[in-house]
């Protein structure tokens, strides 16, 4: 029973930061205008390509994350501080300007699913930084399961993008995105605090 509780706790500690960093709801206001002129089949293909791109990029970083740490001689505490600072800056930028990353309107429709939807909107600096930190703190299997589950949630949201936006309204989507960014900023501060305490300890 204690083992099950520990697994559930680890899952929660990996799922929530990734959910916050991915901010699938915050991507909806960008996704809808980008795909509004597409046919349903074409939109579904674009969304599917975005999720596959995000999955490949995320798993690639999980696979080489520890190798990067060893090769560069980086301690977990170093990355906690650096990663926390990056996440905080991204969250602060989103709270102030309303954009965590700049969308690229000039990209052709064939590449739209890869850039900017797959990356940097679904899996960008915030998610990659969070993944690299989590794989050094928790079980790699738990991190991967949490990541994949977050992508499934993002996929379901994107597939029903028009309905979600209609239900929440533009104001509701923006408000939810701001709350998510605030949580991301809080998680970033926690990472910085943990890193500093490890260095001082």
């Amino acid at each position: 029973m204690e083992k099950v509780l520990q697994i559930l706790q680890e899952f929660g500690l990996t799922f929530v930061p990734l959910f916050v960093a991915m901010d699938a709801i915050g991507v909806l206001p960008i996704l809808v205008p980008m795909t509004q002129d597409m046919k349903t089949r074409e939109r579904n293909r674009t969304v599917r390509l975005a999720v596959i791109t995000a999955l490949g990029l995320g798993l690639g970083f999980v696979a080489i994350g520890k190798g990067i740490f060893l090769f560069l001689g980086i301690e977990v505490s170093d990355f906690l501080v650096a990663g926390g600072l990056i996440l905080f800056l991204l969250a602060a930028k989103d709270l102030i300007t309303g954009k965590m990353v700049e969308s690229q309107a000039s990209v052709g429709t064939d590449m739209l699913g890869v850039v900017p939807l797959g990356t940097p909107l679904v899996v960008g600096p915030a998610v990659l930084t969070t993944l690299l930190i989590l794989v050094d703190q928790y079980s790699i299997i738990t991190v991967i399961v949490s990541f994949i589950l977050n992508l499934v949630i993002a996929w379901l949201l994107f597939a029903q993008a028009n309905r979600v936006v209609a239900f929440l309204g533009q104001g509701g989507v923006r408000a939810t995105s701001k709350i998510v960014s605030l949580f991301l900023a809080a998680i970033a501060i926690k990472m910085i605090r943990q890193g500093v305490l490890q260095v001082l300890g």
Side-chain angles (χ1 to χ4, degrees), residues 34 38 42 45-46 49 106-115:
M34 280 184 174
M38 295 181 184
E42 192 178 7
R45 182 176 175 276
T46 300
L49 187 57
S106 60
V107 178
T109 54
D110 289 343
M111 286 297 293
L112 192 65
V114 178
V115 178

Side-chain angles (χ1 to χ4, degrees), residues 150-162:
N150 268 295
L151 280 179
V152 170
I153 292 171
W155 192 341
L156 293 173
L157 278 173
F158 296 164
Q160 303 296 323
N162 291 325

Side-chain angles (χ1 to χ4, degrees), residues 181-195:
S181 291
L182 193 59
F183 275 110
L184 183 59
I187 288 172
I189 294 297
K190 178 190 173 189
M191 288 177 176
I192 294 169
R193 176 168 50 82
Q194 287 177 330

Side-chain angles (χ1 to χ4, degrees), residues 121-187:
L121 291 177
V122 178
V123 171
V127 176
L128 295 176
T129 302
T130 304
L131 278 171
L132 284 176
I133 291 169
L134 291 176
V135 293
D136 233 73
Q137 290 184 308
Y138 304 103
S139 161
I140 192 167
I141 295 172
T142 307
V143 175
I144 290 173
V145 170
S146 296
F147 176 61
I148 291 173
L149 187 56
N150 268 295
L151 280 179
V152 170
I153 292 171
W155 192 341
L156 293 173
L157 278 173
F158 296 164
Q160 303 296 323
N162 291 325
R163 291 181 183 177
V164 174
V165 173
F167 175 74
L168 292 176
Q170 288 291 340
V173 170
R174 288 195 186 95
T176 304
S177 182
K178 293 297 180 189
I179 293 168
V180 166
S181 291
L182 193 59
F183 275 110
L184 183 59
I187 288 172

Side-chain angles (χ1 to χ4, degrees), residues 3 25 62-63 66 87 89 93 103 113 117 123 153 179:
K3 182 73 174 175
I25 294 175
V62 168
K66 288 188 177 181
L87 290 182
L89 290 172
K93 183 182 177 187
S103 60
L117 290 178
V123 171
I153 292 171
I179 293 168

